[in-house]
Amino acid sequence: MASSLTTGTADPSAEKTFFGHPRGLATLFMTEMWERFSYYGMRALLVYYLVSGGADAATGTQGGGLAMTAATTTAIYSVYVSMVYLMAMPGGWFGDRVWGARKTVTIAGFVIMAGHLSLALPGQAMFFVGLLLVAVGSGLLKANISTMVGHLYDGPEDPRRDGGFTLFYIGINLGAFVAPFVVGTVGKEYNWHLGFALAAVGMALGLAQFLIGTKHLSPKSSLVPNPLSADERKAVLTKAVIGAAAIAVFYGAVVALGVYTLNWVLVPLTLAGLIIPVAVLVRIKRDKDLNSAEQSKMTAYIWFFIAAAVFWMIYDQGGSTLSLFADSKTADTVFGFEFSATWYQSLNPLFVMALAPVFAWLWLWLARKNQEPNTIVKFAMGLVLIGASFFVFIVPMGMATGDTKVSPMWLVSIYMIQTIGELCVSPVGLSVTTKMAPQKYASQMMGVWFLAVTAGDCTTGLLSLAGVDLNGTVIIGIQAAAAVLAGVAVYAYRKKVQALMGDVH
């Protein structure tokens, strides 16, 4: 690891630092980098493992996957990604009320590693056990590790705070960039389960250095901010046991009656991923403790939430619909160099690392000229761009008929357009969430923001389960048009939304 670690003395200003930041940031940077390496490495393999059937004797390519249809594969992928973000809310709850952030992240690391090891074992049952463990572990970790970064600084006014989160964000994308080259190539081109095992090794490395470097973290990371009382703990355990028993009885009956199919799991999870975000927003909106200004801001926030859900619905198909197209309809050579289709998954983190500083500079430059687009306009731009990416996608889809394969540059262009859209929506959405959060829900609203991803991905999953072919030109065009129209609507109503936002700009 290249860092600017300097030896310290008794003077606190001369203590070891990580590029001028608290030493603990190096620990969290590396933990998140390796966790994202494991997550994105496995994700690069997921759809290919699901659709892969028997080995092809003519080409020598491996088989050994689960041989599922493209529709089922897209549904499983979408539900899985949505559950990762859905679990961020209970993950934050465990950190706040049960274990504290540091212990929660430690447990999450072991759960994620166990999940990847389960995926490394053959068989459909172990595959779904592995997916469940990775989703739960990722949710637990995601909700707490960012909180621990914040603990390293002296409150929101610490001038190093934004820079610290920027370095942390680089760690995320560095792990995501490298993973498809390593885990993806080994898994897809040589052996699926060896690839999944490499993802487990990545998480093990992250967990090991987290445990070694935990002494550099803030003592606040070990505290439980709002611990459960004895009565609350008993009530939670009772509800958990009753819920688990009810689920076990229900699915036991389904299996006993001989009617069980995968849809008995996918459909309830998909519906939950749509119902829970709506229920959470309704509960907050109806809270009588919110004053009129907070109520107004929540009304405005619903606009951003819906817009974000539409955005993520298309964006996250980069790992499903676009991945399937990359494997079957896109040339796998450039200037005679052959590469794995999993490598396309490295484009987004590469573009994020390259373009994020450019956009940060651009917004500041425009702000100095008093011409920076406000939050609403940035959201509208992001929606139009994500829609435009799918309009571009229609062109190579039309060209790739029969045995014809299109140039890789089509997918490179699509991923770049989507990344530019992401940079208009994701960081802005995180910022506006913290600014518009009612005081009562200040610590929960980041989890609410992640629920927009859950809602978007579950919409994709529900369409797949309903028999809609998401790999068809017509549905791609419909989604593109819906995103662009949503962007136009957000822009058209920008003055109304701005009025609802009050003092937030």
Side-chain angles (χ1 to χ4, degrees):
M1 176 183 64
S3 68
S4 57
L5 294 174
T6 57
T7 55
T9 66
D11 180 4
S13 64
E15 290 179 356
K16 288 184 179 180
T17 65
F18 178 65
F19 293 104
H21 292 268
R23 176 65 179 81
L25 184 62
T27 297
L28 298 176
F29 176 98
M30 294 297 289
T31 302
E32 183 72 349
M33 185 191 78
W34 282 115
E35 188 274 331
R36 291 291 89 180
F37 172 88
S38 70
Y39 175 77
Y40 281 99
M42 182 277 281
R43 215 172 84 157
L45 290 180
L46 188 53
V47 295
Y48 298 129
Y49 177 66
L50 287 169
V51 298
S52 174
D56 188 332
T59 62
T61 56
Q62 67 156 322
L66 299 184
M68 294 185 176
T69 64
T72 302
T73 294
T74 300
I76 291 173
Y77 176 86
S78 300
V79 170
Y80 164 68
V81 174
S82 71
M83 290 301 108
V84 168
Y85 288 92
L86 181 63
M87 291 305 298
M89 284 202 77
W93 181 86
F94 271 97
D96 285 342
R97 309 216 62 190
V98 183
W99 293 324
R102 189 181 304 190
K103 186 175 181 180
T104 304
V105 168
T106 302
I107 292 170
F110 281 107
V111 172
I112 293 168
M113 187 169 63
H116 290 303
L117 289 173
S118 297
L119 291 169
L121 299 173
Q124 186 168 308
M126 293 310 298
F127 172 80
F128 285 109
V129 168
L131 275 193
L132 175 64
L133 290 173
V134 175
V136 170
S138 297
L140 288 170
L141 188 141
K142 177 179 285 292
N144 290 281
I145 196 164
S146 296
T147 301
M148 294 169 72
V149 174
H151 288 163
L152 297 172
Y153 299 95
D154 297 325
E157 304 307 317
D158 191 319
R160 302 171 300 168
R161 186 182 178 92
D162 286 351
F165 274 97
T166 300
L167 277 173
F168 183 69
Y169 194 57
I170 290 171
I172 292 173
N173 285 285
L174 193 58
F177 171 71
V178 174
F181 293 113
V182 181
V183 177
T185 302
V186 171
K188 186 175 186 299
E189 307 303 330
Y190 298 98
N191 184 281
W192 300 114
H193 302 292
L194 181 58
F196 291 132
L198 282 175
V201 170
M203 188 65 251
L205 290 171
L207 183 59
Q209 70 82 39
F210 178 77
L211 294 173
I212 292 169
T214 191
K215 60 182 178 289
H216 299 295
L217 301 176
S218 167
K220 287 190 289 185
S221 298
S222 297
L223 301 177
V224 182
N226 183 23
L228 292 171
S229 66
D231 288 341
E232 287 175 321
R233 187 179 294 270
K234 183 179 178 181
V236 169
L237 285 172
T238 301
K239 290 177 182 178
V241 170
I242 292 172
I247 292 171
V249 169
F250 175 78
Y251 281 101
V254 171
V255 172
L257 291 170
V259 295
Y260 176 80
T261 65
L262 190 57
N263 281 355
W264 279 97
V265 175
L266 293 178
V267 172
L269 285 176
T270 304
L271 292 175
L274 291 171
I275 293 169
I276 290 172
V278 174
V280 169
L281 284 173
V282 169
R283 178 173 63 87
I284 296 174
K285 187 72 179 68
R286 288 185 172 179
D287 193 328
K288 305 264 187 231
D289 291 341
L290 270 59
N291 60 40
S292 58
E294 290 176 326
Q295 286 281 0
S296 179
K297 288 176 183 176
M298 280 306 301
T299 301
Y301 187 75
I302 290 171
W303 278 80
F304 292 110
F305 186 93
I306 294 172
V310 173
F311 178 89
W312 295 116
M313 178 185 73
I314 294 178
Y315 180 88
D316 276 342
Q317 288 181 60
S320 55
T321 306
L322 287 175
S323 287
L324 293 171
F325 185 84
D327 193 41
S328 61
K329 298 293 184 181
T330 308
D332 58 1
T333 57
V334 174
F335 302 121
F337 176 77
E338 190 172 345
F339 60 93
S340 172
T342 60
W343 290 18
Y344 287 107
Q345 297 304 303
S346 290
L347 289 172
N348 170 253
L350 174 64
F351 288 141
V352 167
M353 289 188 290
L355 296 176
V358 176
F359 271 73
W361 171 84
L362 176 64
W363 300 142
L364 285 173
W365 181 71
L366 289 173
R368 284 195 293 268
K369 296 168 67 72
N370 202 30
Q371 294 178 351
E372 182 188 6
N374 64 23
T375 300
I376 306 165
V377 174
K378 289 176 184 176
F379 256 74
M381 291 165 59
L383 284 167
V384 170
L385 284 165
I386 201 70
S389 75
F390 261 29
F391 276 129
V392 172
F393 187 26
I394 291 173
V395 178
M397 290 182 79
M399 296 167 60
T401 56
D403 294 330
T404 303
K405 293 194 173 185
V406 301
S407 166
M409 293 311 297
W410 282 106
L411 286 183
V412 172
S413 301
I414 292 166
Y415 280 114
M416 185 172 70
I417 296 169
Q418 292 189 347
T419 302
I420 295 171
E422 178 193 3
L423 292 171
C424 291
V425 169
S426 187
V428 175
L430 290 168
S431 176
V432 81
T433 297
T434 58
K435 290 176 181 177
M436 295 174 66
Q439 186 63 36
K440 182 177 178 179
Y441 297 97
S443 62
Q444 298 179 41
M445 283 300 289
M446 203 55 72
V448 174
W449 168 251
F450 288 137
L451 288 180
V453 185
T454 297
D457 282 312
C458 281
T459 302
T460 303
L462 196 61
L463 288 171
S464 296
L465 293 171
V468 176
D469 180 12
L470 290 172
N471 300 288
T473 306
V474 174
I475 190 64
I476 293 296
I478 291 172
Q479 291 180 84
V484 170
L485 287 173
V488 171
V490 168
Y491 183 78
Y493 284 89
R494 66 191 183 281
K495 292 182 180 178
K496 178 180 178 180
V497 177
Q498 185 62 65
L500 290 169
M501 292 170 68
D503 58 353
V504 176
H505 297 285

